[in-house]
Amino acid sequence: MVSKNQSSPEAEKAVEDIRQLTQNGQTVFISEEMFLVWQKKAHFWDKLDRLEQRLNDIEHTYVVTLRKPEDVLPSYYQELYAGLSLVEKLRPSCFYRNQRCDCYDYRKLLNWSERAKSRVVFIHFDNLTSSSFDLGAALGEDGLSGIEISIPNSNQGRTLPNKNRELPAVTVADMGRIGLVRKLADFIKEVAPSAFERVKMLSRSMTFRKAGYRRVSPPSERLEDLNRSYEHCLRYLQHRDA
């Protein structure tokens, strides 16, 4: 197991590969949305700090895409749904009020960009979907000119015209993420593996809520706050670049 302050062998090798490529005059472009996705025991601020530490001797630029929160939050919820807690699946408002949605609080991202030792460039998401978008020109990097970016919409077929989104069933198995239940399940798995498998199958067949299309809109006050942060960021960048 690799601790929070240690690098895995795979990460160390990736950094070394990047170092060698850049030393040979090449430009490396890494696209990874999970850098700003909160995961268990890994807040995205911690991820960015560790990334900065690992790349500290390599010249690099961060590219942050801007999207209006009201346009992306339901899709974000749908994308992360499988890994959410039972409470967050039954009450989406708990998810939206959680710090994992801070990646769409652009005031905080602006504050981070001002503290970062490396260059940070903000690009509007709509520009990335434009066929005329020139990544090299946007970043001021000749080595990236002519690169085309394709961004698939993985949730396109899972949303109705009324914006209701397809969600899997919520079952008793989702209780396995609760601490005491998980410990009990681990104990049963250890002492009675066959019984554990039967209980697991049964728990997946018992539903709290059936699969179907549902409205998963954020709470109005949270959405308004994040939308204000988005507008604030746009004004700040326009003033800075004027």
Side-chain angles (χ1 to χ4, degrees):
M1 179 177 293
V2 179
S3 72
K4 178 179 178 180
N5 295 319
Q6 293 178 320
S7 298
S8 67
E10 294 81 4
E12 291 292 350
K13 183 180 184 305
V15 172
E16 183 57 32
D17 290 344
I18 292 171
R19 184 179 291 109
Q20 291 297 325
L21 289 169
T22 55
Q23 287 177 351
N24 291 333
Q26 298 187 53
T27 299
V28 180
F29 184 77
I30 302 173
S31 177
E32 178 52 79
E33 63 180 7
M34 293 303 291
F35 285 145
L36 289 184
V37 173
W38 185 96
Q39 293 170 287
K40 187 178 181 181
K41 298 182 180 179
H43 194 286
F44 68 84
W45 299 121
D46 296 329
K47 291 183 181 181
L48 292 174
D49 287 343
R50 293 200 296 272
L51 186 63
E52 184 70 11
Q53 291 171 8
R54 291 173 181 172
L55 300 178
N56 64 349
D57 63 336
I58 303 173
E59 184 179 353
H60 57 281
T61 298
Y62 296 105
V63 180
V64 180
T65 55
L66 286 166
R67 297 188 71 178
K68 195 168 186 177
E70 68 181 44
D71 295 335
V72 69
L73 282 173
S75 177
Y76 182 53
Y77 175 82
Q78 186 181 25
E79 192 69 25
L80 299 184
Y81 185 82
L84 301 183
S85 68
L86 176 63
V87 172
E88 289 172 320
K89 288 182 177 181
L90 294 174
R91 299 180 59 188
S93 60
C94 294
F95 167 83
Y96 291 122
R97 292 190 174 102
N98 189 280
Q99 59 184 345
R100 70 176 73 222
C101 289
D102 282 356
C103 57
Y104 292 105
D105 188 332
Y106 292 107
R107 294 189 191 92
K108 294 181 179 179
L109 287 173
L110 274 176
N111 289 337
W112 165 76
S113 72
E114 292 173 352
R115 296 193 309 270
K117 297 179 181 179
S118 303
R119 181 179 175 225
V120 181
V121 176
F122 287 85
I123 297 176
H124 202 284
F125 181 80
D126 291 345
N127 291 339
L128 295 180
T129 61
S130 171
S131 59
S132 61
F133 178 70
D134 188 331
L135 182 62
L139 300 183
E141 296 283 350
D142 293 337
L144 296 178
S145 296
I147 290 181
E148 296 182 359
I149 299 178
S150 176
I151 302 179
N153 186 349
S154 59
N155 293 329
Q156 190 172 18
R158 300 163 57 199
T159 307
L160 295 178
N162 63 4
K163 297 187 178 181
N164 284 2
R165 292 180 175 269
E166 183 182 15
L167 299 177
V170 181
T171 71
V172 172
D174 289 303
M175 294 180 65
R177 295 181 178 275
I178 301 174
L180 290 176
V181 177
R182 184 172 63 250
K183 290 181 180 179
L184 176 60
D186 290 341
F187 174 76
I188 296 174
K189 183 178 182 180
E190 182 177 350
V191 300
S194 60
F196 171 79
E197 291 300 323
R198 291 195 297 271
V199 170
K200 184 170 67 172
M201 291 181 62
L202 180 62
S203 68
R204 290 176 176 173
S205 67
M206 301 172 64
T207 61
F208 290 115
R209 191 180 65 198
K210 294 181 180 180
Y213 285 85
R214 298 183 180 278
R215 180 62 61 92
V216 291
S217 301
S220 58
E221 73 280 1
R222 175 65 159 158
L223 181 58
E224 289 171 3
D225 182 60
L226 294 179
N227 279 339
R228 282 195 296 268
S229 77
Y230 167 80
E231 298 295 340
H232 168 79
C233 185
L234 290 181
R235 290 193 300 270
Y236 172 85
L237 295 174
Q238 290 172 355
H239 176 75
R240 187 194 66 181
D241 299 336

